[in-house]
Amino acid sequence: MGFDNMANKDTVEQFLDNNPQFAKEYYDKKVKAEVITAAFNNQVKVKEPTSYKDVSALQEAEFIFELVKEMQGTEPMEKALHKILQRIALLIQADRCSYFGCRARNGVPELSTILFDVTHNSPFNINLVNPNVEIVFPTDMGIVGWTAHSKKAQNIPDVKKDKHFSDFVDKQCKYTTKCMITAPIMNEKEPIGVIMALNKQGANEFSKSDQELFNKYVNFASVVVLLAHTASMWDIESRRSQVLLWSASKVFEELTDIERQFHKALYTVRTYIKCERYSVGLLDMTKEKEFFDEWAIKLGEQEPYKGPKTPDGREINFYKIIDYLLEDKEEIKVIPGPPADHWALVSGLPAYVAENGFICNMMNAAADEYFAFQKEAVDETGWTIKNVLSLPIVNKKEEIVGVATFFNRKDGKPFDENDEQITEALTQFLGWSTLNSDTYDKLNRTEWRKDIAQGMLMYQSTATPNDVQTILVNKFGSGPEDCDQKEMYKLANIPEAKTVELHEFHFSDFPLSEFELIKCGIRCFFELGVVEKFKVPAEILTRWMYTVRKGYRDITYHNWRHGFNVGQTMFTLLLTGKLKKYYSDLEAFAMVAAGFCHDIDHRGTNNLYQTKSLSPLAKLHSSSVMERHHLEYSKTLMEDENLNIFQNLQKRQFETVQHLFEVCIIATDLALYFKKRTMFQKIVESIEGIPEEKEKVNYVSNNATRKEIIMAMMMTACDLSAITKPWEVQSKVALMVAAEFWEQGDLERTVLDQQPIPMMDRNHADELPKMQCGFIDFVCSFVYKEFSRLHTEITPMFNGLNINRGEWRALADVHEAKMKAIEDEKKKLQGGDAQGERRCLKSHSLLLILIFALSPGSHCLPHLFLLPVKMAGRQRRVLSARPPGPSEHL
Ligand SMILES: [Zn+2]
């Protein structure tokens, strides 16, 4: 039998009456508004029934038709449902009826009022519950809860005698429930709502026929609710798939930068996440701090971190927040280094989610006792936080890389399980996206490494047997490997330390050839006594020293001569400067070796240039770009057994050497100088206050951190030592440094099409003396002054510096006098003093730049003296990704 044959309304009604099960099943599974429309295409006018007595079967059929019409229209489901509830109230003489919707949050099912206190003639807009005032209770509460839980209709003649009854809602509404009748609305096996009728008028309980009538109308209600439910599920499904689709396309579009990826995905899905705002906090992925960031904590100058940590042990640090404000006009705010009282963080919920990995779905956030959400408006828009859904973004390694928090669903209702699912799908995707990026990143890193390796090959190869033999000759003419090493060096013509003034602070490499400097390098290790102590084979030491030399490129300043000078100064600080007493032989060995290696494979351009020119090195290292490269290069040499001067060390000793190489070489990044100088000064002051010599030594040598800080400052003293050399050396070296800067400036102009800063601009060459004075005053003076305070043996360096300061000042004065003469001349010609003022301004602003550049954390730093910008950094890499495990719920 088909519906199309049933034009007769009575027949329809009769049929539905007699086959409620069929009707329900049919509607449950198949019904579509269009089908029903097609079946009932007659217009039927429904009269407003005046009393239940007037209700006839015909009217009832009319009522059903009206319902059907409403269902296919654009009216909300609640409107049709309201009609049904009114009808029920009328027919079974219930005092009032209500409809509760089922939903789940945090995995817990609950019921909320949707249509409340419907009487046979109460207006819809009064009965429809505003989400702000809905009554919510769990399904283990009350008879309505029990109806949803048991999925069975209930007819309770006296609620006081029913164990499931709860007066929770009665109390809230100041109402007394006596008897009630309820029925669940089911979708397949799950309840999606409960219809309830209260207090039979004119009787104490609902009769059996009331129950039948009630059930009949519940069936109609089911159709209405199911239709709406299907539509909303479809909407959710399509949103879910769109979220995935969009994230996918956007995520795969941008593969290089995780942040941009997150941002793009989140931005694109904003229309599908129906909420007023969301905020994404990105977590610092650093597991271990840089050695220099731990100094202050180890010295007790900074409180160790005591806050919550991620499950994998990271400190919870939201290094950046992206806020999506979608209430009225869209706005996206990126907040690097957000303050702890930022509105999205201040509650502590994102940190909690990052700590536990939970998905947290909270309604009425302001009332929460555990998390202190901002109750007032968070900003000038007057927007306040109501409902919150927060969830972790987890990568493949199950590491939490960020926290996404969604605020205030647009319809005012709390977030439900569908929102949880939709956002979880999104955050999963973001987690996966880090996988892609990571794979890609790894691939690229391999590529970059290859580029770098190729670059290295061009400049460097290990010393050939011939090279080695030029140093290690023996009288029998056989290969060096057959020879006793001590014997060999005796014959090898290694210069005596005294002859070349190797122990002197005023040592100059000028009289020596680059080849002789290799031999001098070897001599340093013999003078230190480490060759025999650590069983360094002569051939290996020779080959290593030769290879280090070859690792330096033939550039204007950062060449082998500079590398050698740093190693030599370290050697001199240790022995002549008597700093050796704080360090073991092994440490001294590593420090001098690191000094020789510290600028290996330098390209004559600074860190900022690497970043700006997108060099492979800048892609590989996010901070201290060049220094990390020098370090890696040096470590690569150690990996080659033919070059490894540390090959006869025990494992622990070898690890110590590797660590010291890191401290020493990274310390030459001048950007870190400003981090360490106060700590260094405090150590010097403390030592000064210790009367006993033995105690002084113990104070340093028994404390690894103090040793590291002094060591790091020694590296700076070595690296800048040219400024302390006799004037005839310094004046030449300064020109070489400047020449290399100018070459970089030329590159910036030609390759990058950028105007170089004055220091690198050869058009400003005549300002060199003034810049040198600034450099001495703001950077160098401190270093040598403090070292002279620490050990008077080091005073020659400070003296040398001061002499050079005088020389540069004199030159600067000459230049300035010349400039002044020129300008006075101009002034005379022009008859005004505008020029003079401008000049004044100019030198004033240079001073400002200097001061600004030298304040810690300043981003101007790299522009000025020497080096690198990217302060140890914000730019973190998230390692990899897999979908998160089963999410835990609160
Ligand atoms: Zn250097």
Side-chain angles (χ1 to χ4, degrees):
M1 182 173 62
F3 270 134
D4 53 344
N5 294 327
M6 302 187 346
N8 187 310
K9 298 170 273 192
D10 293 337
T11 326
V12 175
E13 194 236 329
Q14 225 176 346
F15 173 79
L16 290 173
D17 249 7
N18 297 336
N19 301 281
Q21 196 51 35
F22 169 83
K24 183 186 179 297
E25 281 171 15
Y26 183 85
Y27 286 139
D28 274 6
K29 293 191 176 122
K30 300 189 177 164
V31 84
K32 286 215 163 72
E34 306 90 294
V35 179
I36 299 169
T37 323
F40 307 94
N41 47 14
N42 290 343
Q43 289 286 324
V44 178
K45 224 173 155 53
V46 178
K47 295 171 205 141
E48 195 59 43
T50 48
S51 132
Y52 78 98
K53 284 171 196 153
D54 302 330
V55 177
S56 65
L58 177 73
Q59 280 175 313
E60 186 158 26
E62 285 173 352
F63 171 78
I64 294 164
F65 278 119
E66 182 63 17
L67 267 186
V68 169
K69 260 182 67 192
E70 210 145 87
M71 278 154 55
Q72 53 163 312
T74 51
E75 294 288 347
M77 166 278 268
E78 288 82 359
K79 202 131 193 210
L81 200 56
H82 184 252
K83 276 210 166 75
I84 296 174
L85 294 187
Q86 282 189 321
R87 194 79 183 171
I88 292 173
L90 182 74
L91 291 176
I92 67 171
Q93 291 173 276
D95 181 48
R96 50 189 69 179
C97 296
S98 295
Y99 175 71
F100 302 86
C102 294
R103 67 179 176 218
R105 292 185 303 121
N106 301 315
V108 179
E110 64 184 22
L111 289 149
S112 65
T113 47
I114 291 176
L115 289 164
F116 198 62
D117 283 354
V118 180
T119 67
H120 72 92
N121 60 358
S122 57
F124 170 70
N125 55 356
I126 301 272
N127 296 144
L128 182 70
V129 178
N130 185 307
N132 289 333
V133 295
E134 64 181 16
I135 300 171
V136 182
F137 52 95
T139 55
D140 59 4
M141 194 172 169
I143 291 163
V144 171
W146 175 244
T147 307
H149 183 78
S150 65
K151 302 167 187 175
K152 284 194 179 77
Q154 309 288 327
N155 183 358
I156 314 294
D158 183 357
V159 294
K160 288 205 177 60
K161 289 181 183 156
D162 191 273
K163 60 173 179 173
H164 294 296
F165 179 71
S166 157
D167 59 0
F168 171 71
V169 180
D170 271 7
K171 273 185 177 159
Q172 293 204 17
C173 313
K174 299 194 172 66
Y175 184 81
T176 310
T177 303
K178 291 170 194 143
C179 60
M180 71 195 288
I181 184 164
T182 65
I185 307 277
M186 301 293 291
N187 173 33
E188 310 263 318
K189 286 174 181 161
E190 289 307 311
I192 51 176
V194 173
I195 289 184
M196 172 193 82
L198 292 182
N199 294 2
K200 171 87 176 178
Q201 303 295 92
N204 289 328
E205 60 186 271
F206 291 103
S207 67
K208 197 148 191 292
S209 66
D210 288 337
Q211 168 106 55
E212 279 166 14
L213 212 51
F214 179 76
N215 286 349
K216 188 163 106 181
Y217 279 84
V218 165
N219 287 336
F220 296 136
S222 290
V223 176
V224 171
V225 173
L226 274 172
L227 259 179
H229 183 71
T230 310
S232 89
M233 286 313 287
W234 185 87
D235 177 54
I236 287 162
E237 274 309 317
S238 72
R239 272 158 66 202
R240 191 176 0 238
S241 59
Q242 270 161 321
V243 162
L244 293 178
L245 211 75
W246 274 107
S247 328
S249 68
K250 290 299 169 188
V251 153
F252 291 113
E253 216 172 80
E254 280 292 338
L255 285 160
T256 45
D257 179 8
I258 281 152
E259 283 176 31
R260 257 176 84 184
Q261 224 168 290
F262 275 27
H263 168 67
K264 274 207 155 186
L266 283 159
Y267 179 70
T268 314
V269 300
R270 72 200 183 285
T271 44
Y272 305 108
I273 314 272
K274 294 184 173 170
C275 64
E276 292 177 354
R277 287 189 179 194
Y278 52 96
S279 174
V280 180
L282 300 168
L283 282 168
D284 195 328
M285 292 309 289
T286 325
K287 285 226 170 76
E288 279 172 31
K289 289 192 160 178
E290 298 281 5
F291 62 88
F292 44 82
D293 282 331
E294 287 197 319
W295 282 339
I297 299 166
K298 284 181 176 168
L299 287 179
E301 288 175 8
Q302 194 181 307
E303 279 286 297
Y305 180 82
K306 291 202 184 91
K309 291 189 171 180
T310 60
D312 60 311
R314 276 172 293 132
E315 296 176 4
I316 293 178
N317 170 23
F318 290 101
Y319 71 88
K320 190 175 283 179
I321 275 198
I322 309 174
D323 287 331
Y324 300 80
L325 317 183
L326 312 169
E327 309 112 82
D328 300 314
K329 64 173 187 200
E330 278 180 14
E331 202 182 340
I332 290 154
K333 288 183 177 167
V334 178
I335 302 128
D341 64 351
H342 180 271
W343 64 269
L345 292 181
V346 70
S347 68
L349 179 64
Y352 180 84
V353 170
E355 183 183 9
N356 299 292
F358 293 143
I359 293 178
C360 295
N361 183 354
M362 351 190 39
M363 66 182 242
N364 196 8
D368 197 86
E369 286 168 3
Y370 190 80
F371 298 108
F373 286 95
Q374 192 166 324
K375 290 182 176 65
E376 324 76 58
V378 303
D379 53 32
E380 62 285 354
T381 64
W383 182 83
T384 53
I385 299 171
K386 287 177 213 128
N387 302 318
V388 184
L389 173 59
S390 188
L391 56 172
I393 303 170
V394 183
N395 71 8
K396 186 185 178 181
K397 289 182 171 172
E398 307 262 315
E399 294 161 336
I400 300 170
V401 299
V403 173
T405 309
F406 301 85
F407 298 92
N408 299 4
R409 221 167 84 159
K410 276 199 167 149
D411 61 3
K413 294 185 183 179
F415 295 102
D416 60 20
E417 60 183 336
N418 294 309
D419 298 307
E420 290 171 12
Q421 281 173 19
I422 229 171
T423 49
E424 199 180 349
L426 172 65
T427 48
Q428 274 185 12
F429 221 98
L430 294 176
W432 293 342
S433 72
T434 61
L435 167 71
N436 281 301
S437 168
D438 185 53
T439 321
Y440 182 84
D441 216 39
K442 266 191 196 140
L443 264 174
N444 264 302
R445 271 166 195 256
T446 322
E447 283 300 303
W448 295 328
R449 275 181 203 283
K450 234 165 65 191
D451 289 354
I452 293 160
Q454 235 148 36
M456 272 159 55
L457 270 179
M458 274 175 58
Y459 275 90
Q460 176 262 334
S461 55
T462 54
T464 62
N466 252 352
D467 292 336
V468 177
Q469 222 151 5
T470 52
I471 293 171
L472 294 180
V473 276
N474 66 67
K475 56 184 164 188
F476 310 110
S478 55
E481 63 275 7
D482 307 325
C483 219
D484 169 65
Q485 52 168 298
K486 233 175 153 183
E487 185 66 15
M488 213 151 46
Y489 277 111
K490 265 187 211 150
L491 298 162
N493 230 353
I494 301 284
E496 287 297 324
K498 203 152 189 166
T499 328
V500 293
E501 299 190 307
L502 205 55
H503 287 274
E504 300 297 332
F505 285 114
H506 64 249
F507 168 87
S508 168
D509 63 283
F510 288 170
L512 298 159
S513 71
E514 292 188 357
F515 180 66
E516 281 169 316
L517 291 179
I518 298 174
K519 293 185 180 183
C520 291
I522 293 168
R523 173 61 68 199
C524 288
F525 293 113
F526 275 97
E527 295 288 302
L528 273 174
V530 295
V531 181
E532 275 149 343
K533 180 159 184 178
F534 298 107
K535 301 186 184 65
V536 189
E539 190 196 345
I540 303 291
L541 178 60
T542 310
R543 192 180 292 120
W544 176 80
M545 202 73 234
Y546 215 108
T547 306
V548 169
R549 184 263 165 273
K550 283 194 165 188
Y552 279 90
R553 298 188 181 196
D554 193 12
I555 51 177
T556 311
Y557 175 67
H558 287 99
N559 49 38
W560 162 235
R561 284 182 181 273
H562 169 67
F564 176 82
N565 275 307
V566 170
Q568 185 272 335
T569 311
M570 180 56 84
F571 167 80
T572 309
L573 277 174
L574 285 167
L575 297 185
T576 312
K578 300 276 192 291
L579 291 169
K580 171 71 179 67
K581 65 184 173 194
Y582 306 116
Y583 298 97
S584 70
D585 289 340
L586 183 69
E587 287 163 339
F589 184 15
M591 287 154 81
V592 174
F596 288 132
C597 290
H598 87 285
D599 265 335
I600 199 162
D601 200 38
H602 201 290
R603 288 100 199 268
T605 46
N606 67 8
N607 286 343
L608 188 60
Y609 186 83
Q610 310 307 316
T611 310
K612 285 199 293 196
S613 64
L614 306 172
S615 87
L617 287 176
K619 289 175 189 159
L620 202 59
H621 309 293
S622 61
S623 63
S624 303
V625 178
M626 285 312 299
E627 291 74 17
R628 286 189 199 282
H629 175 60
H630 307 317
L631 174 64
E632 285 213 5
Y633 198 122
S634 313
K635 285 186 170 176
T636 310
L637 298 187
M638 280 185 224
E639 281 161 19
D640 186 338
E641 278 311 291
N642 287 316
L643 294 170
N644 187 8
I645 52 175
F646 305 107
Q647 60 180 238
N648 288 323
L649 300 184
Q650 289 160 1
K651 194 166 170 280
R652 283 276 299 278
Q653 291 178 309
F654 186 71
E655 284 164 4
T656 304
V657 168
Q658 294 223 321
H659 175 66
L660 296 184
F661 259 68
E662 184 183 349
V663 174
C664 288
I665 296 182
I666 302 303
T668 60
D669 181 350
L670 213 55
L672 304 181
Y673 162 70
F674 300 98
K675 286 194 172 190
K676 68 193 176 197
R677 66 189 231 161
T678 322
M679 284 185 278
F680 175 67
Q681 193 169 35
K682 278 189 186 163
I683 294 171
V684 173
E685 272 163 16
S686 302
I687 296 172
E688 215 172 28
I690 300 172
E692 283 287 320
E693 168 64 15
K694 207 177 164 200
E695 266 181 72
K696 282 183 202 261
V697 176
N698 286 343
Y699 179 76
V700 177
S701 59
N702 292 342
N703 183 301
T705 308
R706 289 185 194 123
K707 276 205 284 193
E708 277 182 19
I709 294 170
I710 296 174
M711 188 188 298
M713 198 51 94
M714 284 166 81
M715 283 302 291
T716 305
C718 296
D719 209 12
L720 307 178
S721 63
I723 202 92
T724 68
K725 297 284 176 183
W727 173 246
E728 53 286 12
V729 176
Q730 155 61 191
S731 52
K732 283 183 195 145
V733 176
L735 269 178
M736 285 192 253
V737 178
E740 199 176 278
F741 279 154
W742 295 333
E743 286 158 23
Q744 176 174 328
D746 295 343
L747 283 176
E748 286 177 4
R749 245 190 298 264
T750 54
V751 179
L752 303 179
D753 200 22
Q754 285 176 5
Q755 176 60 34
I757 54 163
M759 187 177 77
M760 298 198 175
D761 188 344
R762 60 176 76 251
N763 301 322
H764 288 262
D766 51 5
E767 287 167 31
L768 180 66
K770 196 164 72 181
M771 292 194 210
Q772 286 297 99
C773 289
F775 184 50
I776 289 169
D777 293 347
F778 288 96
V779 180
C780 308
S781 253
F782 172 88
V783 180
Y784 300 104
K785 192 176 164 191
E786 293 302 312
F787 268 117
S788 303
R789 235 175 107 192
L790 181 62
H791 281 196
T792 47
E793 292 86 347
I794 304 172
T795 316
M797 293 188 100
F798 190 47
N799 292 342
L801 176 86
N802 286 326
I803 291 167
N804 292 333
R805 169 80 172 70
E807 297 283 348
W808 286 120
R809 189 63 258 167
L811 286 178
D813 287 346
V814 169
H815 175 67
E816 269 172 34
K818 203 171 86 189
M819 293 306 287
K820 194 171 179 294
I822 293 170
E823 296 207 356
D824 285 350
E825 197 60 31
K826 272 187 192 162
K827 226 192 284 177
K828 250 188 244 162
L829 289 173
Q830 292 169 358
D833 62 354
Q835 286 289 325
E837 255 171 45
R838 198 178 304 159
R839 202 182 69 81
C840 223
L841 248 174
K842 201 173 155 197
S843 71
H844 185 61
S845 61
L846 179 81
L847 188 67
L848 278 180
I849 293 169
L850 263 168
I851 293 165
F852 186 49
L854 298 172
S855 62
S858 158
H859 285 269
C860 245
L861 179 64
H863 297 283
L864 244 206
F865 289 119
L866 318 170
L867 311 166
V869 220
K870 283 195 149 185
M871 307 291 285
R874 285 296 168 213
Q875 207 179 325
R876 300 292 176 192
R877 203 166 70 89
V878 179
L879 285 170
S880 65
R882 176 174 10 111
S887 58
E888 293 172 75
H889 294 267
L890 251 189

